[in-house]
Amino acid sequence: MTPLLAKGQSAVAGEVAGDRGTIPGPRPASAAPRRAKALLERLAGPDEGLFDPPGPRGRRRIAVASAVSLVILAALVWAVVHQFAAHGQLHAGQWRIFGQWPVIHYLLTALWATVRVTLVSGVIALPFGALLALARLSHTPLLRWPAAVYVEVLRAIPLLLLIYAFLLGLPNLGLHVPLFWQLVWPIVFTNTAVFAEIFRSGVRALPRGQTEAAQALGLSHWTTMRLVVLPQAIRQTAPALISQTVRLLKDSTLGYVVSFLELLNAAKVLGEYDHTVVQAYLVVALVYVVVNTALAATAGGVERRLGGAPSSAGRKSPG
């Protein structure tokens, strides 16, 4: 491709030089570059992405690899189901308990506890993450540097270690926090840093013309951020924010550390009490799959609805 493009560039140079020597009178300044660009596009061919499409042999290899993978996956699933059946884990008596209302009510209460942790953590972490992103984007070092230190440190500390710090450290200081908040505050502190980076990336992805136009109208830096930049950044990063909410739901599974009865801990207690540990974990895993799939579908819908607007607007030429 390189010799072909070099040849095309030589041809373009000769054509442009010939145009200058043979065509009399004034000529628009943009005519030669347009013809050069069109000639190079014809020589380079259509843009087909980073990789060439596979040929017949490549398609056969892909089909064979896919078929082998499906066979191996089916064999693994059969082996797992066979082992469960051999040890009596698939017996109807082991699953009958999950159709009883007291057990269903117990699991629904635990699910609501998980949802409460997720909602409260998200409601607190989202606005604080936006404020932290604005502080990190500030021109004032007294705001920018502490915000940067907070984000980098909290993103580096494991959430489990932070929960242990609340569980073991606060009582030594004479502070007694309810179990719910012993789980919520570490999740808030960690995810505030993550949300701040999401907001900051959304602000940085916006064209600088948005800020320059607002400042040309006489708006201050903070007013520009509040009225112009941040609403667009929220709209642009909405799919990422919803995806991080899924992570919040997963973080709530660490409630067993502080003995908070969220869904996963409730499944552990129920399974140990009724000797149905495997069944309880499978049922709870199915619940998590349903909830996370719903959140992922919401994120996909938001992305399809909002994701195309900025890119299409960015491809339009100024003229």
Side-chain angles (χ1 to χ4, degrees):
M1 182 62 72
T2 302
L4 181 60
L5 288 177
K7 182 179 178 181
Q9 291 174 353
S10 301
V12 169
E15 185 174 347
V16 172
D19 289 343
R20 290 175 179 174
T22 57
I23 299 179
R27 183 187 180 97
S30 60
R34 282 202 303 269
R35 295 185 62 184
K37 182 179 179 181
L39 181 57
L40 285 176
E41 289 178 351
R42 289 199 304 269
L43 291 173
D47 184 13
E48 296 181 353
L50 296 177
F51 303 99
D52 294 332
R57 183 179 298 179
R59 288 195 294 268
R60 284 196 299 270
R61 290 177 179 175
I62 293 174
V64 170
S66 301
V68 171
S69 301
L70 289 175
V71 170
I72 294 175
L73 180 62
L76 290 175
V77 172
W78 179 85
V80 171
V81 173
H82 178 73
Q83 289 297 321
F84 280 173
H87 291 81
Q89 298 295 332
L90 299 182
H91 192 271
Q94 297 287 333
W95 298 88
R96 191 175 295 115
I97 185 176
F98 297 100
Q100 299 176 3
W101 172 245
V103 174
I104 296 175
H105 182 266
Y106 174 76
L107 293 177
L108 287 177
T109 303
L111 176 61
W112 171 239
T114 299
V115 172
R116 281 195 299 123
V117 171
T118 304
L119 291 178
V120 173
S121 302
V123 167
I124 298 175
L126 269 171
F128 276 102
L131 292 176
L132 195 64
L134 292 178
R136 196 168 184 186
L137 292 168
S138 173
H139 300 302
T140 306
L142 291 177
L143 293 176
R144 185 172 66 252
W145 287 109
V149 170
Y150 178 91
V151 169
E152 297 302 328
V153 170
L154 266 295
R155 290 176 65 197
I157 296 178
L159 177 59
L160 184 59
L161 181 60
L162 199 60
I163 293 177
Y164 275 119
F166 270 75
L167 176 65
L168 303 177
L170 293 183
N172 293 331
L173 299 176
L175 299 175
H176 299 282
V177 182
L179 297 181
F180 178 80
W181 294 105
Q182 286 184 14
L183 178 61
V184 167
W185 284 122
I187 295 176
V188 168
F189 289 154
T190 301
N191 285 273
T192 295
V194 178
F195 282 130
E197 285 299 284
I198 294 176
F199 282 123
R200 190 171 74 96
S201 63
V203 171
R204 289 292 181 88
L206 292 176
R208 294 192 61 181
Q210 301 282 339
T211 305
E212 294 172 355
Q215 292 176 350
L217 293 175
L219 298 180
S220 64
H221 173 75
W222 292 111
T223 305
T224 300
M225 284 292 179
R226 182 171 57 89
L227 298 180
V228 179
V229 176
L230 197 57
Q232 297 184 69
I234 293 174
R235 181 176 182 269
Q236 187 168 346
T237 58
L241 295 175
I242 298 176
S243 299
Q244 185 60 27
T245 305
V246 177
R247 180 64 183 269
L248 283 174
L249 184 69
K250 296 177 182 178
D251 289 343
S252 67
T253 59
L254 295 175
Y256 72 91
V257 177
V258 296
S259 300
F260 181 73
L261 204 63
E262 42 78 34
L263 185 58
L264 189 60
N265 194 19
K268 175 178 175 294
V269 173
L270 179 64
E272 292 177 352
Y273 179 78
D274 290 321
H275 305 287
T276 55
V277 176
V278 174
Q279 290 78 8
Y281 279 134
L282 288 177
V283 170
V284 168
L286 180 61
V287 174
Y288 275 114
V289 167
V290 171
V291 174
N292 289 334
T293 301
L295 290 175
T298 303
V302 172
E303 187 174 6
R304 286 190 299 271
R305 185 173 182 180
L306 304 179
S311 58
S312 62
R315 287 194 297 267
K316 292 180 181 179
S317 60

